[in-house]
Amino acid sequence: MKDVKKTEVAFITQNKHKFIEASGLLDRLGINLIMAPLNKMEIQASTIQEVATYAALEAYEHLHKPLIVEDAGLFVKALNGFPGVYSSYAFTTIGINGLIALVKGKKDRSAFFEAIVAYFDGVELKIFSGRVDGFILNKPVGKNGFGFDPIFSPKESFPKSFAQMSTRQKNKLSHRARAFIAFSKWYTNTVNYT
Ligand code: ITT
């Protein structure tokens, strides 16, 4: 018999858009994600892997339950990967228009989003990643999503931006969906439901 409680995993995030994207996806895969809006400890580090790992271990000290932390960033080739690990800070300071200004005149508009999902249950620490390649648009388009969605177009759907997609459409391509799908494959194969 399935123990339903064992399929519950807390998602430490204050970003409801991230939660909606991830929970919609995992729900269909049989995992019940619960939003836990704890203040995620974000260390200064040079990679999103380090940020997510540290935050997951730290969050467990407060929650004592299986949990996920996800850290994501937008990496722009012409800016040597900026904003990358500083994406949240860049979004709240220079914002979308500031990023457009930085890439103005650059021939190479390629960029990628990467998401790291860090799972920790007190014993096992597992890291999963997902990436989507695309381009920075000249101007914001679309009203859906969050963050840099209006200026990022995945190469599979160019020139449509993430902000012109429904959550379901974004989940077919996004860095977050890819990282969470990798997590769900491992989780459903590994965690003992009996
Ligand atoms: P939590 O730490 O509470 O989970 P956050 O919004 O701070 O939420 P991140 O640190 O993972 O999330 O993300 C850093 C920034 O990168 C985020 O604020 C957005 O501006 C941007 N970002 C991440 N994923 C994105 C996506 O799917 N679409 C657009 N922008 C995204």
Side-chain angles (χ1 to χ4, degrees), residues 53-73:
T53 303
Y54 185 86
L57 296 174
E58 218 272 333
Y60 190 84
E61 296 300 314
H62 302 280
L63 211 62
H64 302 289
K65 280 187 195 161
L67 60 84
I68 277 174
V69 165
E70 184 238 283
D71 203 59

Side-chain angles (χ1 to χ4, degrees), residues 13-15 18 40 71-72 87 146 148-149 170 175-176:
T13 183
Q14 298 193 333
N15 183 326
K18 283 170 67 164
K40 185 176 113 186
D71 203 59
S87 294
F146 70 100
F148 296 105
D149 278 345
K170 185 177 172 187
H175 52 307
R176 174 160 306 103

Side-chain angles (χ1 to χ4, degrees), residues 127-172:
I127 305 292
F128 305 89
S129 66
R131 168 176 169 156
V132 56
D133 287 274
F135 304 98
I136 302 297
L137 301 171
N138 291 325
K139 57 178 178 45
V141 274
K143 298 247 175 293
N144 301 334
F146 70 100
F148 296 105
D149 278 345
I151 56 165
F152 181 82
S153 175
K155 69 172 189 238
E156 289 98 322
S157 63
F158 184 79
K160 201 171 179 180
S161 78
F162 264 161
Q164 292 176 294
M165 298 180 190
S166 64
T167 301
R168 247 195 141 100
Q169 287 168 329
K170 185 177 172 187
N171 271 346
K172 292 206 167 103

